[in-house]
Amino acid sequence: MPIRNSIRVVLLAIVLFLGTIAQHKAHAAGTETLIVAGGCFWCVEADFEKVPGVIGAVSGYTGGKTKNPTYKEVSRGGTGHYEAVKITFNPSRVSREELLSMFFRSVDPTDAGGQFCDRGESYRTAIFVSDKAEKTLAEAAKAEAQATLGRKIVTPILSTQRFYKAEDYHQDYYKGKKLVITRAGPKSQASAYKFYRKSCGRDARVKQLWGSAAPFAGG
């Protein structure tokens, strides 16, 4: 291939590469993130990935001091971390206010000791904010939810800290096909998730608190 043609091919490849980066940045600029803790992160991830306008949800750990925590460390306690979910969404399709309202109505925000059958610090509820505007919206959503529920909401609004992505096997657990052993015998991850969610009483409690306003109760 002549040198001139080779240069043209290289330049074209560079232009295409830069164009891809530009498109990615443009796409990213049109998205926002919301980090919440609502007990078992499998459930929170599964719930919010159903919402139109949500691009994706990632299970992880945040709020504590231990670096690069493992699931075993977090669930054992002492790390200060919450099981949390980072939700990426398109604000032109679903607003932060709407997501916050859904969040409160998908948990028991009156419980300071955990969520449903899961007890301990890692299963507490929380909302993480990165600036004053986000804090204002979170406080307004909390006040509205408390007024609607007529009971004190104990979910704290905390400053965002480093978010650590959980182990790969926790991601999209609710639709996984891998066979796992449960107390009810071997099941696929998806079946194990449904079994866990029902036996933990998550939807029953949310329905009891929020009634028809609960957006995800029922799995």
Side-chain angles (χ1 to χ4, degrees):
M1 180 183 293
I3 294 177
R4 182 175 296 177
N5 288 341
S6 298
I7 293 175
R8 286 177 179 173
V9 170
V10 172
L11 289 175
L12 178 60
I14 291 173
V15 170
L16 291 173
F17 176 70
L18 292 176
T20 300
I21 292 177
Q23 288 179 351
H24 175 74
K25 288 183 176 179
H27 176 72
T31 65
E32 295 181 15
T33 59
L34 169 65
I35 299 177
V36 294
C40 171
F41 49 23
W42 296 345
C43 298
V44 180
E45 181 185 342
D47 285 344
F48 281 91
E49 285 193 340
K50 298 174 184 174
V51 178
V54 168
I55 297 165
V58 175
S59 292
Y61 316 111
T62 195
K65 297 181 179 179
T66 300
K67 295 181 179 179
N68 301 308
T70 65
Y71 176 72
K72 185 175 181 180
E73 290 172 332
V74 173
S75 59
R76 185 172 56 219
T79 66
H81 285 296
Y82 293 75
E83 282 196 14
V85 173
K86 179 185 286 188
I87 302 163
T88 301
F89 63 99
N90 181 342
S92 68
R93 296 192 61 199
V94 61
S95 68
R96 185 176 298 272
E97 295 94 323
E98 290 173 311
L99 292 175
L100 288 167
S101 177
M102 290 180 199
F103 167 70
F104 277 115
R105 288 159 176 77
S106 68
V107 295
D108 179 355
T110 69
D111 188 347
Q115 284 293 284
F116 319 108
C117 69
D118 294 316
R119 314 312 300 165
E121 65 177 18
S122 64
Y123 294 108
R124 295 169 297 164
T125 61
I127 297 170
F128 297 87
V129 297
S130 60
D131 56 35
K132 186 175 180 180
E134 289 185 6
K135 183 178 181 181
T136 298
L137 290 176
E139 289 176 339
K142 180 176 178 177
E144 185 277 329
Q146 182 165 288
T148 299
L149 191 60
R151 298 178 59 180
K152 183 179 180 180
I153 286 180
V154 298
T155 302
I157 297 169
L158 306 174
S159 295
T160 299
Q161 297 185 42
R162 181 171 177 179
F163 180 89
Y164 296 92
K165 183 180 177 181
E167 295 85 342
D168 287 344
Y169 71 89
H170 285 300
Q171 309 302 326
D172 292 324
Y173 193 93
Y174 71 99
K175 54 186 178 183
K177 297 180 180 179
K178 183 179 178 181
L179 195 67
V180 294
I181 303 300
T182 73
R183 67 188 187 198
K187 294 177 178 290
S188 68
Q189 287 177 318
S191 295
Y193 163 74
K194 290 179 180 178
F195 174 76
Y196 155 76
R197 182 166 180 142
K198 183 176 181 179
S199 61
C200 196
R202 186 181 188 99
D203 294 322
R205 176 57 176 159
V206 169
K207 284 181 179 178
Q208 182 184 45
L209 281 171
W210 296 103
S212 60
F216 309 117

